[in-house]
């Protein structure tokens, strides 16, 4: 087992340097962030200004404000000696080879003999940066190319040189996966490595289709976005976000660096790009790029006149019908066969991308799997190039490439002669070009400490129970997994009924030692099924609604006090009823990127399944004593959080807010959450599990505190932050949080607050404005402030 890094230094406080430092701090490291000294005044002025700017970035680069305190600022003159104590040094200074080489020489004279040094460069040869250093230094040197923004993008390209010690590379892979939450791909020391080489090629094809083939910006973004399993920002919105100047810089540096690339003419920058950059039209940071928002309308650039124009109707045939196909593979195959302009664009660009990706092996990587991972993790593609090739059909694509004279590399021809029909086999093996140029299937790498439990539902032998929207799966060792399968992972009637059935099984089967509640979707749960609740409310069936709420409250109480350990394994959005479910679970494993909140007021309701009760209980626990003066500040903060439907920006912030217990285990790599949750449940079972005690004495503050909270809601309304109905809902929330009609502070049983929640929740469903909010949310996926 390798030793994790505890301290690190980032040299260079530019955009990437500050963000890399922030992510290392998120991972729990103490980080020294150093930059050049200021020429006059405070020597730390430059690094302090850069850090101050970084802390204001949106989305935030730190998990919490406290996280930022792990970074220690300094300058190269006064604080370089600090590097003698760090485990890992990351160089992120200006892209100048001579400057980087001089920095390496200075580093070697200071750092420990076991410290690892890496560079984040993407424009210079990795090996050249350390070529003047000793053999010992070169063994501990490699490239670590983070993708921007490092906190949110999963890809980390690790680039060894010929001198890099294999154990150093393995340690970096292990640390990157487990502690930084990265998907680590080994890239070769070639220009732009893997993801940017393929990604820039795809981007330039889009630009050429705009300037040379008559496709509009809107048409190209339609055909390179979610329709084909890529991010919504597609080609041109992504370019605006990245910055046209950055795009120009990358392509202008790439073109001369790849003289032997048979397709390098694709990287010739269109003249329109140079004109835009020369006039300061740089994208989102200047308010206009390929797109421009004007008077509430999104305009796009005409490539000939360079005038911003209103979007014209798409001339893409039946692409709207294709977009409604739920399965990505079906959409891709249908689009590939389409005979209209949409199909022509997709076939032309995709055949070129697939051919180019194949020709870059073994130049940039040995394995198709590494290319696919890089594009999924770095560019947000749902499927990488070779996975798309498999979906479209190996033989089909190969035949069509030949028909349009696309150059096919020899290793693909060998695959064909060997009668291979897929780059992947049985989801466990990938076809790879070995070092001796032999082609064969090899196992897909699964890091030793990770268990690929997220795919367990695909094995019918592991299914113990199921209904149309949920299932119970055997994870082995007596631990079972309850998995939501409803649309949006909502807590539908079938999901709630399934929980009831599963809890009965957990209680009665001796071979079940513990339960994990989780799924392998991007988001844990969108909350209650509003459509089902809306139908019951509009039909006036309030008895059924009351029964549903009672059932859900009862189930969450059973989860809380179960005799066997129950662990929630969560990730992504955890909203409303999903948050209440997690708050009920006595043990939680959360992916670092978990966004959790009680958002019911956004749809005209209040939490009704224990969310308020548990919030008030945690408020009391956090206060120094049960004195109202000690509790009141915490209560007001919790009230404002729920009233404003605030959602945490990370799992760490969720702990600060109170949605997650301080004992929750936070994993940087969300893919590990199920394996960690299983280990947690098994450990709790083995040591002798005891459920938490019943909460029979929760302090509520009564009408005086309620008046204070209602006044706070009034101030929010007067300040324009809340509507009149928001204020009314906040009043209902305050009523429950302070104990209803109690005139003074009192200790109450948790069941008292649960009943208050239920009695206050139900009448809100009959309110016209609540029903308007529910309908609006179902139609637009956005809250209505009526």
């Amino acid at each position: 087992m390798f030793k994790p890094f505890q301290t690190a230094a980032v040299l260079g406080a530019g955009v990437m340097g500050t963000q890399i430092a922030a992510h290392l701090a998120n991972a729990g490291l103490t980080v020294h962030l150093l930059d050049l000294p200021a020429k006059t005044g405070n020597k730390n002025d430059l690094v302090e200004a850069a850090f101050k700017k970084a802390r204001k970035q949106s989305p935030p680069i730190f998990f919490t404000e406290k996280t930022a305190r792990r970074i220690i600022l300094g300058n190269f003159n006064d604080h370089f000696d600090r590097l003698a104590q760090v485990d890992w040094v990351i160089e992120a200074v200006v892209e100048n080879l001579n400057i980087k080489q001089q920095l390496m020489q200075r580093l070697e004279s200071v750092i420990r003999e076991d410290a690892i040094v890496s560079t984040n460069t993407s424009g210079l040869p990795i090996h050249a940066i350390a070529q003047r250093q000793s053999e010992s230094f070169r063994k501990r040197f490699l490239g670590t190319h983070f993708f921007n923004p490092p906190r949110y993008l999963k890809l980390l390209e690790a680039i060894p040189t010929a001198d890099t010690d294999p154990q150093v590379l393995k340690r970096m892979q292990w640390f990157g996966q487990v502690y930084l939450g990265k998907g680590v791909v080994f890239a070769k020391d070639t220009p732009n490595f893997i993801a940017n080489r393929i990604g820039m090629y795809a981007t330039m094809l889009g630009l050429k289709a705009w300037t040379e083939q008559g496709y509009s910006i809107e048409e190209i973004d339609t055909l390179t976005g979610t329709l084909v399993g890529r991010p919504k920002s597609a080609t041109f919105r992504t370019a605006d976000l990245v910055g046209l100047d950055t795009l120009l810089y990358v392509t202008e540096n790439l073109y001369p660096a790849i003289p032997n690339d048979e397709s390098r003419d694709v990287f010739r920058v269109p003249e329109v790009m140079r004109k835009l950059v020369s006039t300061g039209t740089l994208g989102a940071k200047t308010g206009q790029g390929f797109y421009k928002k004007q008077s509430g309308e999104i305009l796009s650039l005409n490539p000939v006149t360079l005038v911003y124009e209103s979007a014209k109707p798409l001339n893409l045939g039946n692409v709207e019908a294709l977009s409604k196909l739920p399965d990505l593979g079906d959409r891709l195959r249908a689009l590939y066969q389409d005979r209209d302009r949409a199909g022509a664009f997709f076939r032309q660009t995709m055949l070129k991308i697939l051919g180019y990706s194949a020709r870059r092996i073994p130049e940039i990587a040995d394995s198709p799997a590494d290319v696919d991972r890089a594009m999924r993790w770095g560019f947000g593609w749902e499927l990488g190039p070779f996975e798309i090739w498999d979906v479209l059909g190996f033989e089909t694509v190969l035949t069509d490439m030949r028909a349009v004279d696309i150059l096919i590399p020899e290793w693909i021809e060998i695959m064909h002669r060997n009668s291979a029909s897929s780059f992947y086999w049985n989801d466990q093996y990938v076809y790879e070009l070995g070092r001796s140029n032999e082609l064969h299937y090899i196992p897909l790498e699964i890091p030793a400490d990770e268990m690929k439990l997220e795919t367990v539902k695909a094995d019918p032998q592991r299914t113990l129970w199921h209904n149309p929207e949920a299932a119970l799966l055997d994870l082995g060792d007596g631990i079972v997994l309850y998995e939501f399968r409803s649309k949006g992972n909502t807590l539908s009637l079938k999901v709630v009924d399934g929980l009831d059935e599963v809890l009965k099984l957990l209680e009665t089967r001796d071979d079940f030692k513990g339960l994990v509640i989780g799924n392998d979707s991007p988001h844990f749960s969108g909350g209650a099924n509003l459509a089902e609740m809306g139908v019951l409310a509009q039909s006036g069936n309030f008895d059924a609604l009351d029964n549903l709420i009672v059932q859900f409250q009862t189930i969450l109480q059973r989860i809380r006090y179960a005799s066997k350990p129950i662990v929630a394994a969560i990730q992504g959005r955890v909203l409303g009823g999903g948050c209440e479910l997690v708050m009920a679970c006595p043990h939680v494993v959360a992916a670092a990127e978990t966004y959790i909140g009680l958002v019911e007021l956004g749809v005209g309701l209040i939490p009704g399944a224990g969310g308020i009760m548990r919030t008030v209980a945690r408020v009391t626990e956090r206060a120094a004593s049960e004195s109202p003066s000690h509790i009141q500040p915490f209560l007001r903060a919790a009230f404002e959080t729920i009233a404003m439907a605030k959602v945490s920006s990370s799992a760490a912030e969720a702990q600060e807010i109170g949605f997650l217990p301080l004992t929750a285990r936070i994993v940087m790599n969300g893919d590990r959450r199920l394996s960690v949750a299983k280990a947690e449940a098994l450990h709790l079972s083995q040591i002798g599990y005891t459920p938490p005690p019943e909460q029979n004495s929760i302090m509520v503050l009564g009408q005086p505190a309620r008046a204070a909270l209602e006044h706070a809601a009034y101030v929010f309304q007067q300040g324009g932050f809340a509507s009149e109905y928001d204020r009314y809902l906040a009043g209902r929330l305050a009523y429950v949080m302070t104990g209803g009609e109690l005139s003074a502070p009192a200790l109450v049983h948790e069941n008292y607050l649960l009943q208050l929640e239920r009695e206050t929740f139900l009448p809100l469903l009959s309110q016209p404005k609540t029903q308007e909010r529910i309908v609006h949310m179902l139609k637009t996926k956005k809250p209505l402030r009526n």
Side-chain angles (χ1 to χ4, degrees), residues 201 258-265 355-356 359-360 363 407:
Y201 182 84
I258 50 172
N260 298 320
D261 186 327
E262 75 294 324
S263 302
R264 79 166 181 158
D265 279 350
Y356 188 75
R359 293 193 299 275
R360 298 285 68 78
E363 178 194 347
L407 182 62

Side-chain angles (χ1 to χ4, degrees), residues 33-224:
L33 178 62
L34 274 58
D35 209 323
L36 294 169
K39 294 181 179 178
T40 59
N42 177 13
K43 292 289 184 68
N44 276 359
D45 275 349
L46 294 179
V47 70
E48 287 176 2
F51 189 64
K52 182 179 180 180
K53 182 179 179 181
R55 293 182 72 166
K56 295 179 180 179
Q57 283 188 226
S58 181
I61 61 176
F62 290 102
F63 285 165
T64 69
E65 279 298 310
K66 289 182 180 178
T67 307
R69 299 174 193 168
R70 296 185 184 133
I71 294 185
I72 303 168
L73 305 180
N75 65 79
F76 292 160
N77 279 11
D78 300 331
H79 307 113
F80 210 78
D81 60 326
R82 293 179 186 168
L83 305 185
Q85 304 303 319
V86 304
D87 302 322
W88 179 17
V89 179
I90 303 174
E91 174 273 306
V93 300
V94 63
E95 291 288 270
N96 180 295
L97 181 59
N98 188 49
I99 290 175
K100 290 179 186 288
Q101 288 176 334
Q102 290 178 14
L103 187 59
M104 293 302 120
Q105 290 178 330
R106 190 177 176 191
L107 264 178
E108 185 166 8
S109 67
V110 174
I111 61 173
R112 298 196 319 255
E113 291 184 356
D114 62 343
I116 291 177
V117 180
S118 68
T119 175
N120 187 61
T121 185
S122 60
L124 295 172
I126 301 295
H127 69 276
I129 294 173
Q131 65 184 3
R132 299 175 181 174
Q133 305 314 120
S134 69
E135 180 182 0
S136 171
F137 185 96
R138 296 197 310 273
K139 284 184 176 181
R140 296 175 282 126
F141 178 79
L142 73 161
T144 50
H145 184 226
F146 290 82
F147 266 60
N148 189 20
R151 172 182 167 180
Y152 298 99
L153 287 185
K154 186 173 181 177
L155 180 61
L156 173 60
E157 290 175 318
I159 309 100
T161 71
D163 297 317
T164 305
D165 186 333
Q167 289 300 108
V168 167
L169 189 62
K170 288 180 180 178
R171 183 184 181 192
M172 191 61 66
Q173 179 191 30
W174 169 78
F175 187 81
Q177 289 172 332
V178 176
Y179 288 89
L180 299 183
K182 295 299 179 184
V184 180
V185 169
F186 297 147
K188 297 189 179 182
D189 191 3
T190 56
N192 279 28
F193 312 128
I194 300 175
N196 277 338
R197 186 75 171 272
I198 305 299
M200 285 303 303
Y201 182 84
T203 297
M204 297 308 292
L205 289 181
L207 281 171
K208 290 182 182 299
W210 175 56
T211 57
E212 300 173 8
Q213 298 170 24
Y215 287 89
S216 70
I217 284 177
E218 290 82 5
E219 287 174 335
I220 295 168
D221 272 359
T222 297
L223 295 171
T224 58

Side-chain angles (χ1 to χ4, degrees), residues 572-736:
R573 288 192 289 272
V574 187
L575 306 178
C579 178
E580 291 182 290
L581 169 61
V582 172
M583 292 177 75
C585 284
H587 307 280
V588 181
V589 172
E593 297 300 340
T594 295
Y595 317 114
I596 182 170
L598 295 169
V599 297
E600 285 85 351
L601 270 77
V603 290
L605 299 168
I606 64 168
I612 298 176
M613 177 268 287
R614 294 185 217 286
T615 296
V616 175
R618 288 181 182 177
V619 160
T620 304
E621 292 169 359
R622 290 184 170 215
S625 74
E626 291 184 347
S627 166
S629 63
H630 287 160
I631 294 173
Q632 183 71 34
F634 291 93
L635 183 69
R636 173 165 176 159
F639 167 76
E640 291 179 357
T641 294
I642 300 175
M644 300 301 291
K646 181 176 180 178
V647 176
S648 74
S649 63
S650 67
E653 188 186 38
Q655 287 181 313
E656 290 187 354
I657 293 172
F659 291 139
L660 291 181
L662 297 178
T663 55
R665 293 191 180 275
I666 298 177
V667 292
M668 292 291 286
N669 189 332
D671 291 342
R672 300 181 64 238
R673 65 188 180 276
L674 292 179
S675 59
V676 173
K678 175 191 172 181
E680 184 81 356
L682 190 58
H683 171 70
L684 289 167
S685 174
Q686 289 170 340
I687 63 175
Y689 181 67
T690 302
E694 190 176 89
Q695 293 176 307
N696 55 18
S697 56
I698 301 172
M699 176 61 74
V700 292
L701 301 187
Q703 289 185 3
R706 175 180 160 195
L709 297 183
E710 288 177 339
H711 178 71
Y714 168 77
V715 171
F716 268 100
Q717 184 198 4
Q718 293 301 304
F721 299 105
S723 69
E724 183 178 347
Y725 195 57
D726 288 327
R727 180 184 169 191
Y728 168 75
L729 294 168
R732 296 285 78 201
L733 173 65
Y735 175 81
V736 178

Side-chain angles (χ1 to χ4, degrees), residues 374-385:
M375 296 311 297
R376 291 200 314 270
W377 295 339
F379 277 77
W381 291 19
E382 290 184 43
L383 296 174

